[in-house]
Amino acid sequence: MKKSKKRSDCPISCSLDIWGDKWSLIIVRDLMFAKQCTYGDFLKSEEKIATNILASRLYSLEENGIISKSEHPDSKAKVLYRLTQKGIDLLPIMVEINLWADKYYDLPASRKEELKEVKKDKEKYIKLAVKELGN
Amino acid sequence: MKKSKKRSDCPISCSLDIWGDKWSLIIVRDLMFAKQCTYGDFLKSEEKIATNILASRLYSLEENGIISKSEHPDSKAKVLYRLTQKGIDLLPIMVEINLWADKYYDLPASRKEELKEVKKDKEKYIKLAVKELGN
DNA sequence: GCTTTGCACTTGCAATTTGAAAGTGAAATT
DNA sequence: AATTTCACTTTCAAATTGCAAGTGCAAAGC
């Protein structure tokens, strides 16, 4: 459903081949905030991803080892998506994107507040957040 | 040639609206390596961007203040593209992408070598590189 | 047990975007 | 003056996106 043949051996290019589109990192973001999401959770996000696009992105993110599916404790009808370690390791990238956007765009006050914490000690924040996501 | 209406106020989403595609950061990468590029330089890159796509990306990157055009000292027929400060400030993101890819993919030895330097002292590397690009 | 609802997708199709190739026009080179 | 270089544009088929409706299984309600 998405072949993404490698365009080159460049690390930037390789990375973009996997998650370099308008939606993949939105899904990753949701998982970083919520730690685990159902298909329906993703659909509820502000950006309103189309359901077929969501399905194709979840498929390719799983194919590429960024996310994994697991069973929902309450119901067999539900599926839980989580980040793998490889997905969790995207966090430093996400943090830097946040900081860049914070510098150049008007963000909601709530987001700005959260980023204050990040800026205080980036390393520490990332370490803690990665740990939180890990278990 | 690319309207990219904002999908939400989320910093990740805002950022992806601007450079969240398979090519924009490739162009930024080229500019970070070379500091300035002509249209032809971009076309020569390993990934072989199509010329119409290149034109549309250069346009939108300029529209969004990431790059700027300037005159080539040798010829009026040539155009030089450079990163603006806003573009230069994408460097931390690029560094983190490199480090992530380094962790999960086989990169050419030359790239790995460069990244060793980065890992020694990330902050220092970024500060220096940003300064270099700035003048 | 039977129907209805919830959930995770899939399908169909129009509209947009991409990508390959050829073309254009101004500037530099021969 | 003629050719080449350079920065794009144009054309058009193929791929991808996005919307809307549909499917099939699981769980909840009656």
Side-chain angles (χ1 to χ4, degrees):
Chain A
M1 233 141 246
K2 216 190 169 203
K3 33 203 74 178
S4 87
K5 50 197 160 226
K6 232 174 155 191
R7 288 172 296 175
S8 80
D9 285 326
C10 164
I12 300 291
S13 158
C14 291
S15 300
L16 295 176
D17 285 341
I18 294 172
W19 46 256
D21 67 271
K22 293 235 178 294
W23 294 109
S24 293
L25 289 189
I26 296 283
I27 291 171
V28 170
R29 174 206 64 185
D30 285 351
L31 285 171
M32 282 179 177
F33 266 101
K35 205 168 166 177
Q36 53 189 36
C37 296
T38 63
Y39 193 89
D41 289 336
F42 292 119
L43 288 178
K44 275 177 226 145
S45 288
E46 226 185 335
E47 290 84 7
K48 298 283 161 245
I49 187 170
T51 171
N52 56 337
I53 307 294
L54 175 58
S56 91
R57 288 312 176 278
L58 288 173
Y59 177 81
S60 85
L61 286 172
E62 196 187 359
E63 280 290 292
N64 286 294
I66 310 281
I67 64 173
S68 65
K69 284 179 170 188
S70 51
E71 287 179 11
H72 196 288
D74 300 349
S75 154
K76 271 186 193 172
K78 292 184 185 176
V79 178
L80 276 183
Y81 290 93
R82 300 157 175 279
L83 292 167
T84 61
Q85 188 58 47
K86 190 174 169 185
I88 293 171
D89 284 336
L90 290 170
L91 199 121
I93 299 172
M94 301 294 272
V95 165
E96 293 299 345
I97 296 175
N98 270 280
L99 293 174
W100 181 81
D102 181 45
K103 184 165 179 181
Y104 290 103
Y105 298 96
D106 282 326
L107 304 184
S110 56
R111 280 299 174 86
K112 281 212 174 285
E113 205 55 39
E114 286 161 35
L115 288 172
K116 252 184 206 167
E117 281 308 304
V118 179
K119 278 183 269 187
K120 261 182 208 161
D121 190 341
K122 205 196 290 178
E123 289 296 314
K124 191 176 162 188
Y125 175 89
I126 290 174
K127 244 177 206 166
L128 188 69
V130 165
K131 202 180 213 174
E132 289 278 322
L133 284 168
N135 49 35
Chain B
M1 234 144 247
K2 215 189 168 201
K3 35 203 73 177
S4 88
K5 50 193 159 232
K6 234 173 156 191
R7 288 172 295 175
S8 81
D9 285 326
C10 164
I12 299 292
S13 158
C14 291
S15 300
L16 295 177
D17 284 340
I18 293 172
W19 46 256
D21 67 271
K22 293 236 179 294
W23 294 107
S24 294
L25 288 190
I26 297 283
I27 292 170
V28 170
R29 174 206 64 185
D30 285 350
L31 285 171
M32 282 179 176
F33 265 101
K35 206 168 167 177
Q36 53 189 33
C37 296
T38 63
Y39 193 89
D41 289 336
F42 292 119
L43 288 177
K44 275 176 228 147
S45 288
E46 225 186 333
E47 290 84 7
K48 299 282 161 247
I49 188 170
T51 171
N52 56 338
I53 306 293
L54 175 58
S56 91
R57 289 309 177 281
L58 288 173
Y59 177 81
S60 85
L61 285 171
E62 196 187 0
E63 280 291 291
N64 286 295
I66 310 281
I67 65 174
S68 65
K69 284 179 171 189
S70 52
E71 287 180 9
H72 196 289
D74 299 351
S75 152
K76 272 187 191 170
K78 291 184 187 177
V79 178
L80 277 183
Y81 289 92
R82 300 158 176 279
L83 292 167
T84 60
Q85 187 57 47
K86 190 175 170 184
I88 293 171
D89 284 335
L90 291 169
L91 198 119
I93 298 172
M94 300 294 272
V95 166
E96 293 299 345
I97 295 175
N98 270 280
L99 293 174
W100 181 81
D102 181 45
K103 185 166 179 181
Y104 290 102
Y105 298 96
D106 282 328
L107 304 183
S110 55
R111 280 297 175 85
K112 281 215 174 279
E113 206 54 41
E114 287 162 35
L115 288 172
K116 253 184 204 167
E117 282 308 305
V118 179
K119 278 184 270 187
K120 262 182 206 161
D121 190 340
K122 205 196 289 177
E123 290 295 314
K124 191 177 162 187
Y125 174 89
I126 290 175
K127 245 177 208 164
L128 188 69
V130 165
K131 202 180 212 172
E132 289 278 322
L133 284 169
N135 49 34

